[in-house]
Amino acid sequence: MCGRYNVIDDPHTQGLLDVLGISTRLETHYNIAPTEDVQVILIEDGIPRLRHMRWWLVPSWVKEPSTQYSMFNARAETLGSSRAFRGPFKHQRCIVPASSFIEWMVEEGHKIPYDIQPKDSAFAFAGLWDRWGKGAESFYSCAIITTDAVPAFRQIHNRQPVMLPYDALNRWLDPEIEGKDLTDLLQPMLPVDLEVFESDTEINSSRHKRPPEHLSESVLLKVG
């Protein structure tokens, strides 16, 4: 799963935006939690753009926004059958840029956070978006897609965000391509090596908005 992540305005995230021809810079935010405002990439007027959205997808057809159901992650295996996600999966896909994300392991009865980051690059998480409401009351929202973890990642969690390789970014965003033709991108994979750091438990609170303090040397999870 993916329930917290970080975004840093640095050469790695700028490199991701450069691939898509986006000149706007990302805003640095730490320990981003579901329902918060995030920046995502989608196609508008035929070109990739950054847009602020709520990280908790609200389907366009619901009467009013609600947090009754967990809608910040979408399972890759059920996108085509989910009432909430099957519509956006067809033509409303987005990319959620991230510098790292956080997962927890229970060790001796304690939740220990781990900061997971791509080596020498930025994450491009596969996402979905929707627009709820009309006029001044309308807003955009999104969800991050998750899939089964690759073997190297299962020591941390049995699920992982879908991490898009950079050569597939434009294909994923293209609204002319139906989601059913992109299922190859939803398979478990690590497009780049990952570095994993044990972090201070202060990050367990979503109110902690400072850079994660690493308490260990990195462990490298290699592609394949």
Side-chain angles (χ1 to χ4, degrees):
M1 62 176 295
C2 181
R4 302 274 184 83
Y5 71 96
N6 303 301
V7 175
I8 304 170
D9 177 15
D10 64 9
H12 296 319
T13 52
Q14 191 58 46
L16 168 60
L17 299 182
D18 287 345
V19 170
L20 293 166
I22 298 174
S23 58
T24 310
R25 301 189 72 90
L26 287 163
E27 301 162 2
T28 295
H29 292 287
Y30 293 104
N31 206 15
I32 301 168
T35 73
E36 292 184 11
D37 181 84
V38 298
Q39 284 184 287
V40 306
I41 302 166
L42 74 165
I43 297 294
E44 288 188 318
D45 300 322
I47 61 174
R49 298 182 188 275
L50 278 173
R51 174 177 280 278
H52 286 268
M53 297 190 186
R54 181 192 191 201
W55 181 25
W56 189 292
L57 191 137
V58 178
S60 59
W61 44 264
V62 299
K63 290 183 178 180
E64 59 184 25
S66 168
T67 55
Q68 180 178 0
Y69 304 104
S70 294
M71 300 289 285
F72 59 94
N73 284 165
R75 293 177 66 91
E77 299 87 344
T78 57
L79 292 179
S81 59
S82 165
R83 186 184 179 197
F85 299 131
R86 66 190 177 198
F89 180 47
K90 288 182 180 180
H91 303 291
Q92 293 173 191
R93 297 176 301 272
C94 61
I95 292 168
V96 182
S99 300
S100 66
F101 68 100
I102 302 155
E103 287 291 1
W104 285 264
M105 295 176 64
V106 178
E107 301 175 9
E108 299 180 352
H110 300 284
K111 286 180 63 177
I112 307 300
Y114 287 85
D115 188 40
I116 302 155
Q117 55 187 250
K119 188 172 177 59
D120 302 324
S121 63
F123 285 122
F125 294 149
L128 306 173
W129 66 270
D130 210 343
R131 182 180 179 182
W132 182 87
K134 296 181 180 179
E137 294 185 350
S138 70
F139 65 88
Y140 287 78
S141 61
C142 64
I144 293 172
I145 301 174
T146 67
T147 188
D148 279 336
V150 298
F153 196 81
R154 287 177 194 157
Q155 59 186 297
I156 302 171
H157 202 281
N158 62 359
R159 303 286 296 177
Q160 67 175 62
V162 171
M163 307 168 190
L164 296 169
Y166 283 16
D167 61 3
L169 301 183
N170 285 297
R171 183 174 164 228
W172 175 257
L173 290 174
D174 189 346
E176 299 300 317
I177 300 176
E178 286 213 19
K180 63 182 178 62
D181 296 322
L182 296 169
T183 55
D184 59 299
L185 299 179
L186 302 178
Q187 303 308 308
M189 62 177 169
L190 297 182
V192 295
D193 295 339
L194 304 183
E195 292 186 288
V196 181
F197 302 85
E198 181 182 341
S199 295
D200 191 282
T201 55
E202 281 189 327
I203 208 170
N204 291 356
S205 170
S206 62
R207 294 188 296 272
H208 179 88
K209 297 300 185 183
R210 296 184 295 278
E213 181 181 349
H214 295 158
L215 304 181
S216 68
E217 296 295 325
S218 67
V219 174
L220 191 66
L221 301 184
K222 295 188 70 65
V223 174

